Amino acid sequence: MARIITPKEMSEDKSKISLTGLTIIMMGTLFIYFLWAVINSKFLVNFSIDALVGVVALVILIRNLKIKYSIIKKYTSEKQFMILDLVAFALCFLIKVVVQIPFDFSLIILLISHYATKRIFNKIIEKK
């Protein structure tokens, strides 16, 4: 039997999606910058400090992705959201590493991905 989700729980889930999404943006950006620094051997301080920041960012990123997908799984399949995140991170990585545009578009791509996820999730919740 399916569990009934209360309006209060839906509201909390909307807030959690927003918070985890913003944390994913920040930590994803830090991790992509770390990968760029490793590939180009241009570290902000030195490799050890940058690696520590990169690893912490990756751990927080993975933790928040798990939280996000567990919330989404309560309402629908998380596959479309995973695909959206994977495409966003792949584009960010390619733009940062391969294209090397003077202006960094990776943060903008992650923000667009966050708002798209949030909008799709809110539509799903409103149907319930």
Side-chain angles (χ1 to χ4, degrees), residues 53-109:
V53 171
V55 168
V56 169
L58 180 64
V59 168
I60 295 171
L61 173 68
I62 291 171
R63 182 180 162 268
N64 278 282
L65 284 170
K66 285 182 179 180
I67 292 169
K68 176 182 171 180
Y69 295 136
S70 70
I71 293 169
I72 290 170
K73 195 182 280 189
K74 286 196 297 191
Y75 299 95
T76 186
S77 172
E78 73 273 7
K79 288 185 182 188
Q80 65 181 352
F81 296 97
M82 281 186 187
I83 291 170
L84 185 62
D85 285 340
L86 285 173
V87 168
F89 280 113
L91 275 173
C92 291
F93 181 74
L94 289 174
I95 287 174
K96 184 71 178 166
V97 175
V98 177
V99 179
Q100 295 184 0
I101 300 172
F103 181 74
D104 187 23
F105 286 101
S106 60
L107 186 59
I108 294 170
I109 293 170

Side-chain angles (χ1 to χ4, degrees), residues 18-55:
S18 291
L19 289 174
T20 57
L22 294 174
T23 306
I24 288 167
I25 290 170
M26 291 185 291
M27 296 303 116
T29 303
L30 280 174
F31 185 68
I32 289 170
Y33 285 176
F34 169 69
L35 290 177
W36 178 83
V38 168
I39 290 169
N40 292 315
S41 297
K42 294 181 181 178
F43 302 106
L44 190 60
V45 179
N46 63 27
F47 176 75
S48 300
I49 303 296
D50 285 9
L52 181 63
V53 171
V55 168

